[in-house]
């Protein structure tokens, strides 16, 4: 069951493409660090020899999904999204579920694979939604600055 987020003062707006890209760069560096640590462990378990192949690549893929799914479902924000005050939520303002996280993750890959067209789509979409926003019925909103 999707839990609602706590109420915030003011209206939440859709995140801009630039803000999303900034959070993606931050999160990409974190995923790269996870992959590097996994590679170090794999090389150690393989007697110092390099590791490759479909099994290792599948493990890296699953680790990337696990990173995003955990933060999206549990907190509504990855670490990069926290830095840029972004939150992922359902269209009615609740936490997303595992199915939505999987759909979003896979469609984001497709959006990127099409030379970024799925991301650029938000610039011409009347809802200001990327392909993966629309397909997973989610949205990225900007959170208000915390009060001092």
């Amino acid at each position: 069951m999707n839990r609602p987020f706590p109420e915030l003062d003011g209206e939440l707006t859709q995140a801009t493409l630039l803000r999303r890209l900034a959070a993606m760069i931050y999160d990409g560096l974190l995923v790269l660090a996870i992959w590097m640590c996994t590679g170090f462990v794999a090389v150690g378990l393989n007697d110092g020899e390099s590791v490759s192949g479909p099994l290792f690549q599948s493990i890296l893929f699953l680790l990337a999904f696990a990173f995003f799914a955990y933060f999206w479902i549990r907190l509504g924000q990855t670490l990069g999204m926290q830095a840029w005050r972004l939150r992922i939520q359902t269209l009615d303002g609740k936490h997303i579920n595992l199915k939505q996280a999987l759909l979003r993750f896979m469609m984001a890959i497709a959006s990127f694979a099409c030379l970024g067209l799925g991301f650029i789509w938000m610039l011409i979409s009347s809802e200001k939604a990327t392909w993966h926003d629309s397909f997973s019925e989610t949205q990225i909103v900007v959170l208000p600055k915390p009060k001092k």
Side-chain angles (χ1 to χ4, degrees), residues 10-70:
E11 189 173 318
L12 301 177
T13 59
Q14 289 272 18
T16 63
L17 181 59
L18 187 60
R19 197 172 198 125
R20 289 173 184 233
L21 293 175
M24 284 172 47
I25 290 169
Y26 192 107
D27 288 332
L29 293 173
L30 293 170
V31 169
L32 183 62
I34 291 168
W35 286 351
M36 288 175 67
C37 290
T38 304
F40 292 145
V41 170
V43 167
L45 293 173
N46 199 33
D47 296 324
E49 297 294 320
S50 67
V51 179
S52 62
L55 176 61
F56 183 65
Q57 291 175 354
S58 296
I59 290 169
L60 295 179
F61 181 81
L62 289 174
L63 284 172
F65 173 68
F67 170 83
F68 287 104
Y70 174 80

Side-chain angles (χ1 to χ4, degrees), residues 20-147:
R20 289 173 184 233
L21 293 175
M24 284 172 47
I25 290 169
Y26 192 107
D27 288 332
L29 293 173
L30 293 170
V31 169
L32 183 62
I34 291 168
W35 286 351
M36 288 175 67
C37 290
T38 304
F40 292 145
V41 170
V43 167
L45 293 173
N46 199 33
D47 296 324
E49 297 294 320
S50 67
V51 179
S52 62
L55 176 61
F56 183 65
Q57 291 175 354
S58 296
I59 290 169
L60 295 179
F61 181 81
L62 289 174
L63 284 172
F65 173 68
F67 170 83
F68 287 104
Y70 174 80
F71 283 106
W72 286 343
I73 294 167
R74 183 132 173 114
L75 304 173
Q77 299 174 293
T78 61
L79 298 174
M81 293 170 79
Q82 288 175 22
W84 288 92
R85 293 190 347 264
L86 300 177
R87 180 174 73 197
I88 186 170
Q89 61 185 27
T90 62
L91 299 176
D92 58 354
K94 296 179 180 173
H95 284 264
I96 70 170
N97 59 37
L98 183 60
K99 178 183 174 186
Q100 287 172 308
L102 180 60
L103 289 172
R104 183 175 182 80
F105 184 76
M106 297 304 288
M107 260 325 270
I109 292 170
S111 295
F112 187 72
C114 294
L115 303 175
L117 185 58
F119 291 94
I120 296 169
W121 185 258
M122 76 175 291
L123 299 175
I124 58 173
S125 165
S126 61
E127 295 88 27
K128 302 293 181 206
T130 61
W131 289 351
H132 40 288
D133 290 335
S134 299
F135 197 76
S136 63
E137 297 180 349
T138 60
Q139 61 184 346
I140 303 286
V141 295
V142 179
L143 300 175
K145 290 183 180 180
K147 294 181 181 176

